[in-house]
Amino acid sequence: KATVVNFSEKALDVKAKTLNIKVGKTSKIKVFAMPSDNITFESSNKKIATVSTKGVVKGLKKGKVTITVKANGKTAKVKVVVK
C-alpha cells in the first residue's frame, strides 16, 4: 500500500557539496529539487570548469571553482576542485 505525503515547501539539495575531477573529465552534480522543472547551474570561472544545463561539470584546467545551483528560489553551492 502506498503512502501519500503532502509536501508544500519548495526544496533544493545537492548530494555532494564538493567534487574532485581531473582536467578533461566530467562529473554530474546530483540535485534533488521539488518541484524539479527549473534548475539552473552556473560556474564561477568558466576557464577552469564549465557546467551544462543538466549539471555536468567539465574540468578545463587546474584550479577551484564554485558551481551555483538554483531552483525554486533556493540556492546551493558545490565546490569543484580540478586536478
Side-chain angles (χ1 to χ4, degrees):
K1 184 178 178 183
T3 301
V4 176
V5 177
N6 288 327
F7 189 76
S8 61
E9 291 294 316
K10 292 180 179 178
L12 172 64
D13 192 27
V14 291
K15 184 168 182 173
K17 303 287 185 202
T18 305
L19 286 178
N20 293 301
I21 58 176
K22 293 184 178 180
V23 172
K25 300 294 181 182
T26 60
S27 184
K28 184 165 177 26
I29 297 173
K30 293 178 178 70
V31 177
F32 168 79
M34 287 296 289
S36 62
D37 56 348
N38 194 19
I39 302 169
T40 61
F41 300 88
E42 185 178 348
S43 173
S44 63
N45 188 336
K46 293 178 180 136
K47 292 179 181 177
I48 295 174
T50 58
V51 62
S52 74
T53 56
K54 302 283 186 192
V56 177
V57 180
K58 181 171 185 176
L60 301 179
K61 72 177 195 176
K62 291 181 181 182
K64 296 178 183 177
V65 297
T66 301
I67 303 297
T68 303
V69 184
K70 293 183 180 178
N72 308 316
K74 309 259 185 196
T75 302
K77 296 190 182 288
V78 178
K79 293 178 184 173
V80 177
V81 178
V82 181
K83 298 179 177 184

